[in-house]
Amino acid sequence: MATKSKRIFYFDALRALAIISVILIHIYTVTRGYVLSGYGTIPSFEWIYTQFIGNSFRIGVDLFLVLSGALSLGRDWTIKSFLSKRLPRIISPFLFWGIILSIILISLSYFLNYPYVSSFSLMSILTFVYNAFMAKSLGFAPYWFFWMILGTYLIMPIFNKWILHSDLKELEYFLAIWLLTCLFTFTLKTDFPVKLIYFFSPIGLVVLGYYLRYTERKLLNNPYFGILLIVLSSLSMLAFSYMFSTDHSFYNFDRYSFLTAIEVIGVFILYKNFNKFSIGFLTDEKSYLYRLFVDKDSIFKRFTFTLARYSYGIYLIHTAILSIIFRSISISYFNYTSYFITLFILDVIISVIVMSLLSRIPYVKDWIGAK
């Protein structure tokens, strides 16, 4: 049985990567139309890196699920203790930001003629707020995550009981069948002859997180193997994306696809075992790179912890912020690359500032999605 451990940096790093990936995907979604004409026999550089981002960074939600399994499964907790601890953490920020952001976006529609609400009747406003919680209103598309993670938490106690009485080889059996669902249902887009709905993502990713954390298989604790999985899956997705895209549409892999799952496995292996690399600056406390990246007070580690700490709140607010930035800053002042980078930097910085300021207010921290 897994025991409770102290804070582990690679978990924070994975959580930070997850929220960065989510932000990149949503910026990709609103800007990719600008590079559609770059598709051709030899696609433009902008088309290539945009599609690379659009597929290889589709791992954000998957990483959040993997982390849920790595941090929660295999512990001797009761259903009541688990749900009473987990559910308020996701429900309170969901309600808080759903209401606050609805008020802000409706106000922008009224005062600045932003296109969030078409009319200002009571029914129209109530419909917007309802649709916001249902992930249907403009600026609230990622709110589907709440309903997915809620369902995942509700079923996790059942899987936890199984894991407590299983060994890792039995988990390998489950994960092998789960990968089949990733291949057929979410990659080939065809039903496997045998119905395997109980193995579908996202619960497969939750079990995967527990397994990857505790497995002792040498290959799955080799950072070079992790890099190999990342490179092969990313290049394969880019190649298939080119093959199946056209000059008027983009091809994107499902977040639960087989290649995305392989990339997630590679990323987890790499982050978990990064300290196994024989790199000088990882141990040389006098080097500049050590102080910048490895030291416990380094800028890199502090920023990583900040992103990890505020990740859920940032997830809930970043698309509303992005939608405002996107409508306030025209691409006509930039080339595509600088525009993409500008949107990304502004979205991250504003989201972090908002979360940081509000987390300092007494009694507000638990409502905004800060750990």
Side-chain angles (χ1 to χ4, degrees), residues 166-274:
S166 303
D167 58 34
L168 292 178
K169 288 186 177 180
E170 291 173 325
L171 267 66
E172 290 172 352
Y173 165 79
F174 175 91
L175 292 171
I177 300 177
W178 165 71
L179 282 173
L180 276 179
T181 70
C182 292
L183 177 61
F184 281 88
T185 304
F186 299 107
T187 308
L188 301 177
K189 306 293 184 181
T190 184
D191 289 333
F192 190 68
V194 180
K195 297 299 181 184
L196 300 172
I197 58 174
Y198 299 109
F199 296 87
F200 273 15
S201 296
I203 197 62
L205 287 160
V206 175
V207 176
L208 175 68
Y210 172 84
Y211 174 77
L212 289 177
R213 179 179 182 181
Y214 293 107
T215 183
E216 295 181 356
R217 289 191 178 277
K218 291 183 178 180
L219 191 61
L220 297 180
N221 285 283
N222 185 328
Y224 295 101
F225 182 63
I227 292 176
L228 178 64
L229 293 182
I230 295 169
V231 172
L232 289 179
S233 58
S234 295
L235 291 179
S236 296
M237 283 190 283
L238 184 59
F240 283 119
S241 178
Y242 172 73
M243 290 170 58
F244 296 116
S245 292
T246 68
D247 56 3
H248 59 272
S249 66
F250 296 96
Y251 181 85
N252 295 121
F253 282 81
D254 192 284
R255 67 174 54 85
Y256 301 134
S257 70
F258 181 81
L259 287 174
T260 305
I262 296 301
E263 184 185 1
V264 168
I265 293 171
V267 169
F268 195 102
I269 293 172
L270 175 62
Y271 277 51
K272 176 187 174 183
N273 300 283
F274 193 83

Side-chain angles (χ1 to χ4, degrees), residues 58-76:
R58 203 166 291 272
I59 60 174
V61 168
D62 297 43
L63 287 176
F64 282 130
L65 290 166
V66 166
L67 285 167
S68 293
L71 292 167
S72 299
L73 291 181
R75 299 183 179 186
D76 193 13

Side-chain angles (χ1 to χ4, degrees), residues 83-205:
L83 295 181
S84 63
K85 181 180 180 180
R86 290 285 178 168
L87 294 190
R89 288 183 179 180
I90 63 171
I91 294 174
S92 297
F94 176 73
L95 295 175
F96 177 85
W97 284 118
I99 294 171
I100 296 298
L101 292 175
S102 291
I103 293 172
I104 292 173
L105 297 185
I106 291 170
S107 299
L108 287 174
S109 297
Y110 184 81
F111 292 107
L112 298 178
N113 199 32
Y114 277 48
Y116 296 105
V117 182
S118 57
S119 67
F120 297 97
S121 65
L122 178 60
M123 183 56 66
S124 178
I125 291 174
L126 291 177
T127 300
F128 178 87
V129 175
Y130 172 79
N131 285 336
F133 287 111
M134 295 296 109
K136 296 178 181 179
S137 289
L138 187 61
F140 292 90
Y143 274 46
W144 68 269
F145 176 82
F146 167 79
W147 301 105
M148 181 274 293
I149 201 67
L150 176 62
T152 302
Y153 281 169
L154 293 177
I155 201 173
M156 277 178 66
I158 298 172
F159 277 79
N160 190 58
K161 282 292 184 181
W162 165 59
I163 284 174
L164 285 173
H165 297 89
S166 303
D167 58 34
L168 292 178
K169 288 186 177 180
E170 291 173 325
L171 267 66
E172 290 172 352
Y173 165 79
F174 175 91
L175 292 171
I177 300 177
W178 165 71
L179 282 173
L180 276 179
T181 70
C182 292
L183 177 61
F184 281 88
T185 304
F186 299 107
T187 308
L188 301 177
K189 306 293 184 181
T190 184
D191 289 333
F192 190 68
V194 180
K195 297 299 181 184
L196 300 172
I197 58 174
Y198 299 109
F199 296 87
F200 273 15
S201 296
I203 197 62
L205 287 160

